Structures are given as C-alpha cells and as structure tokens.
C-alpha cells in the first residue's frame, strides 16, 4: 500500500488502524477499545489497557533474546568518553535505580523532576520512573533556577534527580547551586534529591535531603515493572506558551507507546537493531521521543551525544559520530546544520568519514530553510526530510512517510499529514480555506494516540489554548497553507512563541521578566531573523519617569536579568531603551510591525497606529543594536 492508501485506510476507520498498530506493544492487559470519547472534545486512547513503558522499551527486548544488543551508545566529545550499554545492562541498571527510588517512597503517580545533561544516566532516570509508573518531568539544563522552581511548584515532585554538572564547550554548568536556588524559591519542597556526581565537578550533598546516585542504590532490591492504565501520564514536559507560566504537556502512556513505535519504521525508515541518532537534548520533546523512548521501544540502538555540532572539536563531529557508530537515520534541528555549514562551507570534513550506513537525515524543531537543505543534499548526497511537529503532539504531524512510500520532496515543505492527523487550514471565521491560501493550521479532533490529552493541573488552560478558538479542532499555533498535492507549508507562529536555535521560547515570558526591572515602565520583546539561530529575541524597554541612569547600563541589566531568571538558553542579548513603543490607538503594542522593521521587511503602516513617528525611533534603536538589515 502507498501513502494515499494507508492514509485513506486510517481515515476510513481510525480505531481499527490504531488497534492494528497496538499489536506491536506488549500489553499486561490488551486494550479492548481504541478511542474513549470523554465528551466536550476530550479524548483518550487505549484507556482500558494496562501496560508498562519501561517493559516495552527495555525488558521485552532482553526477554526476546536481544539482551546483548547495544541499547545506548554514549558519545561525549566534551569529556572524551564513549560507552556502550547493552539492553541487559540497561535493564539491570534501571531496575536497580527504580528499586532504590521505591525504597525511598516513590510510587506510581508520584512526580519526579530530572535535571540532567546528556549522560546515559538521564535516560536511566526516565526509564526508572516509567518502571514504577512515576511521572517524570525533565527540565532542560540551560534553564535558570527560577524556571526550575516554577516547574517544581507546578509538578510538585516527591524527588528530584540531578547531576552535579553539565559541560558546555566553554564552561562547566554547576547544577547544584541551581538546584538549591530552585528549591529555596519554590513553595513546594521535594522529599529528597538524588545527585549523580560527575568527575568534572562533584557537588556537596545537603545532609538529610540529598543522596548519592550510587550509594543510595546499595542494599536495595531491584524493582519490577508496574503495569499502569493506558491513560496514565507517562511524563509531563513543560513548554513555552504565551505567558511566563510554562504549559505542562501531559503524555499518556499507551498512545505514546503505540504511536512512537509506529513512527520508527514508517517515518524514520529503521528496523529493530539499527542505530538511530537524534542530536537534541533530553530536556526537549525530541529528546524524550527520539533519544529515549521511540528507539528503545522499537528495539533500536540510540545515540546519546554530549557535544555541539561545532566546536566539540569541530564541524566534522556529526560525520564522525554517524560513521563511527553506523548511524542509519539521523535527526537534528536545522540550526545545527547552519552552524556546521558556517564552519565548513565546502563540506571538507565530510570526506574524512564513511557515511555509507546513513540512509536519511531528518530536520525538525523550526523552519528548515531551503539554503541549508540544499547544502546538506549537495554535500551528503542523502535525502533530507523536513518534518513538522510540536511538544504537544510528541511525534510527527506532517512528514515524509518513507517506510510506507517515500514522497517526492518539495524543499520548504515538511511534506504530508501522517495517518492520525486530519490537518486543515482555517480562516479567521473557522472555515477551511482552499488549497494555496494562508491560514491558521488546525487539526480535526480527535488527535491521534500519543498526543496530549490535557495540560498538567490546567484543564481549562488546555481548552482555552488549543480547543476554544476553532471548536472541533486542535489549534496548532502555526500558520501556513496546504497546496494542491496536500503538502503543508509552515510559515509562522500565530502567537508570542519564538524559535531560537530550535528552542521554543516565549516572548511574553521575557516581557514579564523585563517588566520586573525597577526602572522599566513598559516593554516589548520580538523575534528577529538570525542567520544561525533562525530567530533571536530583541527587547525594547521604556523607562519610568524620573529615571536618568545611562541607557546602556539599564539595557545590560535587562540582559542579565533575563539570563538570571530564564537562563542562558533564552539567548537574550539584544535590548534597547526607547522613549515610547508603537501602539494602536486602543493601546495594543504593534509587535509585528516592530519585527518587520527589525527584519528590514516591507510592511503596511497599520491604519490604527497612534503615532507613526515612533517607528523611526524603533528603526534607530535596531540600528543602535547593530542589527539593521
Ligand atoms: N546547559 C546549560 N547551558 C546551556 C545548555 C545546557 N544544556 N544548552 C545551551 N546552553 C547555553 C549555551 O552555552 C549558550 O550560553 P552562552 O550565552 O553563555 O553562550 C546559551 O545557552 C545559548 O545556547 P544555544 O542557543 O544552544 O547557542 P550556542 O551558541 O551554544 O550554539 C548551536 C548554537 C546552533 C550550535 C546550538 O544551538 C545547537 O546545537 N542547537 C541544536 C538545536 C537543538 O538541539 N534543538 C533541540 C530541538 S531538535
Ligand atoms: P516544539 O514544541 O519546541 O517542538 O516547537 C514546536 C514549534 O516549532 C512548532 O509549532 C513550529 O512553530 C516549529 N516547528 C517545528 N518543526 C517545524 C518545521 N519542520 N517547520 C517549521 N516549523 C517547525
């Protein structure tokens, strides 16, 4: 069957389609039904099944006689270390860790925050939670203590598992002070913390609260897998919304297993036993789905890479890892390849490596610009597949279904909707638009298995953010169009979310931080185009009356404040003081017009603008930041 047939078969009977895919999972109690309609546009998949994620990702492969196969390859150029962990070893390590967590009181449904860099222990911590039915929430290492504190207060974890440090190319990131700061700021306090000590910088443990990763496993019994209900949350992953309060995306256990397992062959084209590499971070959804869960559930070998595309040690690192570990399918964000291309424009470093095992490269996380795709195609000779999805969905909405039938690539389009997703382009009035017209991208409900059923602690926010604008649809927050061949084209976000180096950030969140500066009366943050990172945040602040300190000083304080409150990952380095912000007569800040000015784009003067002269000041401020195009 070709793509069109498979898609049509899914559409004709979605429940039969997903029940068929569910046969690839080892159930403790198989689902008797696929979809559960909870009313009012809320749906759940496989809710009456009982299953364990860790069993499916680890133990079942050992039981099937594949215990000696490598499950995880850890390749860490920043520590000059490589390690192979077999499925049998992984099972033993995860069972031991889970046993120690259980001995300290962690049970099904308890939350556990994981704050760790790209070490295999991060994956083991995730799997140990899954083994017990505990709900993990991984926090990216580039977030500051305040962001961790916000997540602690929302998830209310019984335990936090952290490493002593992370390693950025130019500095050691000490996690313990961040962890202590976060626990101090948070109203909720975890019962205990587990610290994985790294030799690059050990942390001093807080007596009574902190336990050493190895020591606390001594004398405890390994834990078996605890079956959970199909709709039990496997994890919570916080992602940026319009405000500073992150959204806790809930991932349901059974749908997650079924959808991710399906995606490995049908989208990424790999068979069990082959090596799959997603160069991302466990703190992001790509890391959850395609470093940890999907490759392991599907019986692949996954690569955990602790390094950067450039500088660790050079732009040939990707090619070295692909060749050395015989990677069959590789996935990263376009920004990573822009960095490689910038350092090695002729692709000289590719020639040193044998890429014969590599069949395709996948890009997601931000718009894949045609220049980068063409460069990659030209230099590697491999197919480059863009695919579009979000933290909320956990797997591809639109991609190239190579395991079913490779579709012709149209550069700039992530290709076609996957089975499970009925994607529509809607006008402001909520009616579907014809092919070729630009509108809001929405998905007809129900969403497929694996996607979010709600937001943690925030069912109303879930409705308001995703279901209320276009009744009967899930609103993706992206705008774009579909062409005559059913190919999707993703153009821009419709909200205040920006994408910096493949990292999803909220300009609203940054504005909240700037507004807390004592001298700032008003502010706006916009996303401006950047050749390397795709977008960069740029801030404009107006000062309170009577403040007459040097503007550069205040702008520098604003930059430091965002780094301190949100973290280095915000990459907030551009900030200017201006007299006024351009607004409509009703007082709405014209952020889109400001972004057009910063990007040097033509724009239509908004009819409702209060005072067009302010735009000249904005243009001047952009030039002052050295950013005029
Ligand atoms: N822990 C602590 N700090 C981190 C961090 C982490 N895990 N990850 C990034 N940071 C810091 C960086 O050190 C940098 O700090 P600096 O301001 O002191 O230089 C800052 O956060 C911004 O990081 P980043 O945006 O990643 O920029 P970079 O200049 O370090 O690297 C790229 C640029 C393009 C090479 C890099 O962004 C990259 O590899 N991106 C891959 C994208 C990706 O994996 N996306 C995930 C979705 S698929
Ligand atoms: P995240 O939740 O961090 O994965 O970010 C999801 C958002 O990133 C999407 O809503 C899009 O705005 C953007 N995005 C992800 N993949 C793509 C892609 N292939 N093309 C264009 N935008 C993308």
């Amino acid at each position: 069957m070709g793509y069109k047939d498979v898609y049509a078969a899914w559409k004709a009977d979605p429940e039969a389609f997903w029940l068929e895919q569910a046969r690839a999972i080892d159930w403790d109690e198989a689902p008797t039904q696929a979809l559960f309609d909870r009313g009012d546009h809320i749906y759940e998949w496989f809710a009456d099944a009982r299953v364990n994620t860790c069993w499916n990702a680890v133990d079942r492969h050992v039981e099937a006689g594949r215990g000696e196969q490598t499950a995880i390859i850890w390749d860490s150029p920043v520590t000059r270390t490589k390690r192979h962990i077999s499925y049998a070893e992984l099972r033993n390590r995860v069972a031991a860790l889970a046993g120690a967590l259980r001995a300290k009181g962690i049970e099904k449904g308890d939350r556990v925050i994981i704050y760790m860099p790209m070490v295999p222990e991060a994956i083991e911590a995730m799997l140990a939670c899954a083994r017990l039915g505990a709900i993990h929430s991984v926090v990216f290492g580039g977030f500051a203590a305040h962001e961790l504190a916000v997540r602690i207060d929302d998830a209310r974890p019984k335990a936090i598992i952290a490493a002593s440090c992370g390693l950025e190319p130019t500095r050691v990131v000490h996690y313990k002070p961040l962890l202590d700061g976060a626990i101090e700021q948070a109203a909720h306090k975890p019962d205990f913390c587990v610290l994985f000590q790294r030799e690059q910088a050990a942390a001093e443990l807080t007596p009574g609260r902190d336990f050493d990763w190895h020591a606390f496993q001594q004398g405890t019994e390994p834990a078996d897998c605890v079956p959970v209900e199909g709709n039990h949350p496997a994890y919570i992953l916080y992602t940026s919304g319009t405000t500073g309060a992150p959204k806790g995306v809930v991932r349901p256990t059974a749908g997650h297993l079924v959808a991710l397992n399906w995606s490995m062959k049908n989208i990424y084209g790999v068979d069990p036993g082959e090596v799959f590499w997603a160069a991302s971070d466990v703190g992001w959804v790509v890391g959850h789905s395609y470093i940890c869960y999907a490759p392991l559930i599907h019986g692949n070998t996954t690569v955990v890479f602790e390094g950067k595309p450039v500088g660790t040690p050079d732009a040939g690192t990707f090619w070295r890892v692909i060749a050395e570990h015989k990677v069959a399918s590789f996935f990263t964000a376009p920004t990573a390849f822009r960095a490689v291309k910038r350092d090695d424009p002729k692709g000289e470093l590719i020639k040193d490596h044998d890429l014969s095992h590599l069949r395709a490269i996948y890009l997601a996380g931000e718009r894949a610009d045609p220049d980068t795709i063409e460069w990659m195609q030209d230099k590697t000779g491999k197919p480059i597949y863009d695919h579009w999805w979000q933290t909320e969905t956990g797997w591809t909405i639109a991609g190239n279904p190579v395991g079913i039938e490779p579709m012709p690539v149209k550069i700039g389009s992530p290709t076609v909707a996957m089975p499970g997703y009925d994607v529509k382009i809607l006008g402001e009035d909520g009616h579907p638009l014809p092919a070729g017209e630009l509108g809001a991208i929405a998905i007809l409900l129900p969403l497929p298995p694996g996607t979010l059923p709600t937001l943690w602690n925030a069912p109303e926010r879930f409705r308001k953010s995703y279901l209320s604008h276009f009744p009967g649809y899930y609103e993706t927050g992206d705008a774009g169009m579909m062409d005559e061949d059913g190919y999707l084209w993703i153009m821009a976000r419709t909200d205040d979310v920006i994408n910096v180096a493949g990292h999803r950030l909220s300009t609203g969140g940054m504005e909240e931080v700037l507004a807390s500066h004592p001298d700032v009366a008003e502010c706006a943050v916009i996303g401006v185009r950047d050749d390397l990172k795709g977008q960069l945040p740029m801030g404009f602040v107006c000062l309170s009356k009577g403040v007459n300190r040097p503007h550069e000083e205040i702008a520098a304080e604003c930059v430091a404040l965002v780094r301190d409150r949100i973290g280095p990952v915000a990459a907030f380095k551009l900030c200017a003081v201006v007299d006024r912000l351009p607004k409509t007569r009703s007082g709405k800040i014209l952020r889109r017009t400001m972004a057009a000015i910063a990007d040097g784009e033509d724009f239509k003067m908004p009819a409702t603008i209060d005072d067009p002269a302010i735009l000249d000041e904005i243009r001047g401020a952009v030039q002052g930041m050295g950013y005029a195009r």
Side-chain angles (χ1 to χ4, degrees):
M1 277 213 284
Y3 160 75
K4 282 208 167 103
D5 305 313
V6 173
Y7 191 82
W10 158 73
K11 212 164 173 181
D13 193 346
E15 296 202 54
F17 179 88
W18 288 117
L19 277 173
E20 177 61 27
Q21 310 317 325
R23 287 154 57 97
I25 297 303
D26 249 18
W27 303 96
D28 291 274
E29 285 172 35
T32 62
Q33 182 184 330
L35 187 66
F36 291 73
D37 183 344
R38 303 304 192 197
D40 221 7
H41 296 308
I42 302 293
Y43 300 91
E44 290 179 337
W45 290 92
F46 311 117
D48 73 352
R50 291 176 70 78
V51 68
N52 182 277
T53 298
C54 184
W55 174 269
N56 277 278
V58 185
D59 300 52
R60 70 160 164 165
H61 305 308
V62 181
E63 298 288 312
R66 309 211 352 242
E68 294 315 305
Q69 183 194 316
T70 300
I72 298 176
I73 298 171
W74 183 45
D75 190 308
S76 168
V78 291
T79 60
R80 296 198 177 84
T81 322
K82 288 173 209 164
R83 220 169 101 198
H84 286 239
I85 299 170
S86 69
Y87 270 102
E89 199 185 340
L90 183 62
R91 195 241 346 241
N92 296 344
R93 292 175 63 88
V94 170
L97 178 62
L101 289 169
R102 187 181 55 190
K104 288 257 169 300
I106 300 295
E107 292 172 3
K108 180 187 162 204
D110 289 338
R111 272 82 60 213
V112 175
I113 280 186
I114 299 172
Y115 190 50
M116 297 180 91
M118 289 296 290
V119 290
E121 286 76 8
I123 307 288
E124 291 168 10
M126 293 163 81
L127 293 166
C129 291
R131 197 169 187 86
L132 298 174
I135 304 167
H136 65 66
S137 188
V138 182
V139 179
F140 178 61
F143 281 124
H146 174 74
E147 289 291 318
L148 179 56
V150 168
R151 285 154 177 78
I152 292 173
D153 275 336
D154 197 65
R156 304 178 64 80
K158 210 180 227 182
I160 301 181
I161 307 179
S164 58
C165 70
L167 301 165
E168 285 297 289
T170 54
R171 69 200 149 93
V172 175
V173 182
H174 297 274
Y175 281 26
K176 184 64 178 9
L178 297 167
L179 176 67
D180 290 346
I183 294 176
E184 200 181 302
Q185 283 179 45
H188 172 85
K189 310 290 176 199
D191 290 357
F192 68 98
C193 298
V194 178
L195 259 294
F196 175 69
Q197 299 280 23
R198 303 191 73 188
E199 63 184 44
Q200 290 75 17
E204 202 171 309
L205 303 187
T206 304
R209 189 197 74 185
D210 296 349
F211 297 92
D212 172 74
W213 171 281
H214 293 290
F216 105 121
Q217 295 186 39
Q218 272 159 23
T220 56
E221 284 293 307
D224 286 335
C225 295
V226 176
V228 301
E229 300 77 23
N231 56 359
H232 181 71
Y235 67 77
I236 306 162
L237 178 58
Y238 289 90
T239 189
S240 298
T242 331
T243 67
K247 295 167 164 171
V249 168
V250 172
R251 188 77 56 217
T253 299
H256 183 230
L257 284 163
V258 174
L260 290 191
N261 187 67
W262 182 88
S263 72
M264 288 305 286
K265 176 71 185 169
N266 292 287
I267 298 174
Y268 300 101
V270 288
D271 289 314
E274 291 192 299
V275 182
F276 182 86
W277 179 24
S280 176
D281 189 285
V282 284
W284 307 114
V285 71
V286 176
H288 281 64
S289 294
Y290 292 105
I291 296 174
C292 181
Y293 288 113
L296 296 179
I297 293 164
H298 194 247
N300 290 96
T301 297
T302 186
V303 179
V304 174
F305 172 71
E306 189 183 30
K308 301 266 175 180
V310 294
T312 59
D314 58 31
T317 305
F318 277 177
W319 317 123
R320 196 262 308 155
V321 173
I322 290 168
E324 193 171 325
H325 304 306
K326 301 188 169 46
V327 172
S329 199
F330 176 51
F331 175 1
T332 194
T335 187
F337 273 108
R338 287 197 295 270
V340 171
K341 177 175 163 227
R342 193 177 61 173
D343 275 20
D344 180 23
K346 293 201 175 116
E348 299 288 353
L349 296 170
I350 302 176
K351 297 182 188 128
D352 303 341
H353 302 284
D354 170 11
L355 303 186
S356 57
H357 288 85
L358 183 70
R359 290 198 293 273
I361 301 178
Y362 292 79
L363 297 175
E366 54 163 340
R367 198 180 92 84
D369 55 293
D371 275 0
T372 304
I373 298 183
E374 278 161 10
W375 182 86
M376 290 167 66
Q377 267 175 354
D378 182 44
K379 300 298 177 228
T380 66
K382 308 286 176 184
I384 313 297
Y385 298 123
D386 181 16
H387 59 322
W388 167 65
W389 51 292
Q390 321 180 297
T391 305
E392 287 85 343
T393 65
W395 63 285
T396 308
I397 307 170
N400 201 319
V402 298
I404 303 172
E405 170 195 16
M407 305 283 284
V409 169
K410 294 191 192 185
I411 289 184
S413 161
T415 320
V416 290
M418 291 298 98
Y421 295 97
D422 193 351
V423 180
K424 299 273 192 258
I425 309 296
L426 303 182
E428 234 340 280
D429 61 357
H431 283 96
L433 295 173
E437 280 193 33
L438 191 67
I441 312 180
I443 302 164
L444 197 64
L445 293 169
L447 291 174
T451 56
L452 83 172
T454 189
L455 292 174
W456 185 255
N457 276 339
E460 266 323 300
R461 189 174 181 199
F462 171 69
R463 275 179 195 290
K464 215 168 146 249
S465 306
Y466 304 106
L467 307 185
S468 67
H469 194 165
F470 301 117
Y473 293 91
Y474 164 85
E475 184 183 5
T476 65
D478 284 309
M481 62 172 188
M482 196 180 278
D483 68 17
E484 299 283 353
D485 301 325
Y487 280 56
L488 268 164
W489 300 79
I490 316 298
M491 311 308 269
R493 289 289 303 190
T494 56
D495 54 14
D496 298 331
V497 167
I498 58 170
N499 206 311
V500 180
H503 308 318
R504 175 167 157 182
L505 298 166
S506 161
T507 53
M510 293 186 216
E511 288 179 4
E512 284 172 28
V513 174
L514 295 180
S516 73
H517 187 289
D519 294 343
V520 170
E522 217 182 8
C523 63
V525 176
I526 57 170
V528 298
R529 218 171 47 216
D530 181 73
D531 289 342
L532 176 64
K533 298 196 180 189
Q535 280 186 298
L536 278 180
M538 181 182 277
F540 298 85
V541 297
C542 304
L543 304 183
S544 305
K545 265 212 175 82
V547 176
N548 51 16
R549 295 166 52 217
H551 287 180
E552 298 72 34
E553 202 174 298
I554 296 173
E557 286 168 9
C558 287
V559 166
L561 197 61
V562 173
R563 191 174 174 97
D564 181 57
R565 291 278 290 282
I566 297 179
V569 66
F572 183 81
K573 291 184 176 161
L574 301 167
C575 187
V577 175
V578 291
D579 279 345
R580 290 171 303 164
L581 294 170
K583 290 185 185 172
T584 61
R585 281 189 284 278
S586 61
K588 218 169 149 289
I589 298 173
L590 291 161
R591 292 184 181 77
R592 272 180 212 289
T593 309
M594 294 168 73
I597 290 173
D599 286 343
E601 282 171 5
D602 292 337
F603 64 92
K604 219 168 122 222
M605 183 67 75
T608 53
I609 191 164
D610 185 29
D611 177 4
I614 301 175
L615 297 184
D616 291 331
E617 193 191 351
I618 297 297
R619 198 170 285 116
V622 170
Q623 277 162 3
M625 285 182 270
Y627 219 82
R629 285 181 181 270

